[in-house]
Amino acid sequence: MTTQPDRAAWLQGLSAQCSPAPASATPPWRLVLLGAPGVGKGTQAQLLHQHLGACHLSTGDVFRAASARKDCVPSPAMTAALEFMRRGALVPDRTVWEMVCERTGCLRCAGGFLLDGFPRTLSQAESLGQLLQKENLPLNAVINYELPLPEIVSRLSGRRTCSKCKAVFHITNQPPRSENICDHCGALLFQREDDRTESIKVRLQAYNQSTAPLIDFYSAKGLLLSIPATGSPEDISNRTLYALALRAPLPIFS
Ligand code: AMP
């Protein structure tokens, strides 16, 4: 099993170094994970990391890390971005793209990458395509996780996250042993502000309007793999690895 690097370069910018340094992979996997909020892209990214070695790069995690930092004042663009995030709305393309460009080194990483939550608009997908072409970093596939709407709403509204170790629970599907207390570190669980009912509506609208069109965009490029996101995280991960193995017969089952 591979330990996930702390992703410091991605979360804090390239002046920070990941610890441990990401292991190089031959060839490295470069994947985009698509799917509505709540389908479990983050969990799948962690499981895929264990099998493929590629690093989990989530743009939402960058924004959350910026909002949690107490040692520096966020830029005006970041302050505005965090307000969009709080409401469940998409952060403007320009802000997201500047943030990703500052982290191009993470895309070049010899360990590969699993992009989660980016791109989320056609404009972001086109910019990413141009950058990856310029850098000669072709994508292996775009994985689209599919789940019926009622299940998405139930997963998001019941999700609780540990305030310390960030472990994720669900009030009915995966409840903690003691109510509102993390099984792993004993810290309090909280509900992400953007998992509240009002924000969920806004996020799903943003997904339908801006992100769903990426399914056709990547399908037309022959990159799309659609995976049902029902069942246990391990079931979904196995389905994903199987689909990847059929697409590119590489020794990925570790
Ligand atoms: P996530 O953790 O991926 O659900 O992202 C949380 C929030 O961060 C989203 O609801 C958006 O407000 C913001 N965000 C993350 N990634 C992007 C992106 N690529 N484009 C626009 N907004 C984003």
Side-chain angles (χ1 to χ4, degrees), residues 155-190:
R155 283 197 194 178
L156 286 173
S157 54
R159 178 161 67 180
R160 298 291 182 274
T161 307
C162 173
S163 51
K164 194 167 165 204
C165 73
K166 308 296 173 215
V168 177
F169 297 84
H170 188 277
I171 49 174
T172 49
N173 302 346
Q174 200 192 338
R177 284 191 292 268
S178 314
E179 200 180 338
N180 255 349
I181 302 290
C182 177
D183 288 353
H184 309 292
C185 70
L188 270 183
L189 303 182
F190 73 102

Side-chain angles (χ1 to χ4, degrees), residues 20-250:
S24 55
T26 41
W29 282 89
R30 300 189 187 99
L31 302 173
V32 168
L33 309 187
L34 279 186
V39 295
K41 298 186 294 297
T43 304
Q44 288 308 309
Q46 282 167 19
L47 292 171
L48 288 174
H49 165 76
Q50 289 169 13
H51 290 274
L52 308 178
C55 211
H56 174 201
L57 304 183
S58 148
T59 38
D61 281 351
V62 178
F63 292 126
R64 280 184 286 278
S67 102
R69 277 184 83 160
K70 304 281 174 250
D71 56 335
C72 62
V73 181
S75 66
M78 185 55 89
T79 306
L82 297 180
E83 181 49 31
F84 281 103
M85 184 169 102
R86 206 186 56 74
R87 285 191 281 115
L90 290 187
V91 173
D93 284 338
R94 193 172 157 185
T95 310
V96 176
W97 183 239
E98 277 173 13
M99 187 187 89
V100 171
C101 283
E102 283 167 10
R103 292 161 169 79
T104 307
C106 293
L107 302 178
R108 291 191 200 110
C109 178
F113 57 74
L114 305 162
L115 283 176
D116 160 17
F118 176 84
R120 249 181 164 102
T121 64
L122 280 173
S123 157
Q124 292 177 16
E126 279 159 2
S127 302
L128 175 69
Q130 285 160 16
L131 177 69
L132 294 181
Q133 191 169 21
K134 186 172 129 226
E135 298 281 340
N136 193 23
L137 300 168
L139 289 176
N140 299 100
V142 173
I143 300 167
N144 178 38
Y145 289 107
E146 297 176 321
L147 197 64
L149 184 65
E151 183 143 357
I152 290 177
V153 174
S154 145
R155 283 197 194 178
L156 286 173
S157 54
R159 178 161 67 180
R160 298 291 182 274
T161 307
C162 173
S163 51
K164 194 167 165 204
C165 73
K166 308 296 173 215
V168 177
F169 297 84
H170 188 277
I171 49 174
T172 49
N173 302 346
Q174 200 192 338
R177 284 191 292 268
S178 314
E179 200 180 338
N180 255 349
I181 302 290
C182 177
D183 288 353
H184 309 292
C185 70
L188 270 183
L189 303 182
F190 73 102
Q191 183 176 38
R192 270 170 50 170
E193 234 173 332
D194 59 354
D195 281 347
R196 292 174 203 271
T197 312
E198 279 317 300
S199 302
I200 290 175
K201 276 192 203 141
V202 180
R203 287 167 76 194
L204 289 174
Q205 254 168 13
Y207 170 78
N208 285 330
Q209 268 171 18
S210 306
T211 312
L214 297 187
I215 297 171
D216 285 343
F217 176 85
Y218 283 120
S219 173
K221 292 184 184 297
L223 282 168
L224 198 78
L225 290 178
S226 285
I227 305 287
T230 45
S232 72
E234 288 72 24
D235 290 342
I236 303 164
S237 172
N238 286 338
R239 245 174 249 150
T240 310
L241 291 169
Y242 187 68
L244 285 173
L246 286 182
R247 186 186 173 83
L250 291 168

Side-chain angles (χ1 to χ4, degrees), residues 6-9 12-21:
D6 63 8
R7 299 175 297 155
Q12 294 161 35
L14 288 182
S15 55
Q17 286 199 342
C18 298
S19 171

